[in-house]
């Protein structure tokens, strides 16, 4: 049996209404599907290891974390090992 593809245009508000009427398990399935699609799309935006660090490779650095409204912060403070 061959697959048939049908393209639909659904107003966004109608889509939101349809999602609101899904059972919890169906919402989880939809969330997983959307999460997979988002991850795949984001992965295609920035090819990994696209920067050439040269023969020495990527330099060592201290681990950092991003804090919204603040910026990057060194994990473990200034004296954290590299």
């Amino acid at each position: 049996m061959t697959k048939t593809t049908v393209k639909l245009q659904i107003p966004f508000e109608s889509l939101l209404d349809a999602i609101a009427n899904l059972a919890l398990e169906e919402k989880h399935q939809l969330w997983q599907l959307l999460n997979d699609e988002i991850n795949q799309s984001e992965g295609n935006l920035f090819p990994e290891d696209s920067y050439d660090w040269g023969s020495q490779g990527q330099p060592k650095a201290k681990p950092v974390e991003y804090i919204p409204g603040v910026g990057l912060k060194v994990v473990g403070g200034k004296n954290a090992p590299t």
Side-chain angles (χ1 to χ4, degrees), residues 34-47:
L34 289 172
N35 194 43
D36 292 345
E37 285 291 322
I38 290 168
N39 288 335
Q40 182 178 1
S41 295
E42 287 177 342
N44 293 335
L45 291 176
F46 305 104

Side-chain angles (χ1 to χ4, degrees), residues 3-82:
K3 288 186 176 182
T4 302
T5 302
V6 178
K7 292 191 176 193
L8 299 174
Q9 289 190 357
I10 302 171
F12 193 71
E13 289 297 321
S14 296
L15 180 60
L16 293 178
D17 290 341
I19 292 170
N21 289 314
L22 292 174
L24 182 58
E25 180 59 33
E26 292 169 321
K27 288 178 183 177
H28 281 288
Q29 290 174 358
L30 178 60
W31 175 82
Q32 185 62 52
L33 180 117
L34 289 172
N35 194 43
D36 292 345
E37 285 291 322
I38 290 168
N39 288 335
Q40 182 178 1
S41 295
E42 287 177 342
N44 293 335
L45 291 176
F46 305 104
E48 291 186 30
D49 298 324
S50 61
Y51 185 81
D52 181 6
W53 291 100
S55 61
Q56 297 295 319
Q58 185 174 357
K60 292 191 181 227
K62 295 184 179 197
V64 296
E65 66 179 326
Y66 175 75
I67 301 172
V70 175
L72 294 175
K73 175 184 172 191
V74 175
V75 176
K78 292 181 186 179
N79 298 323
T82 54

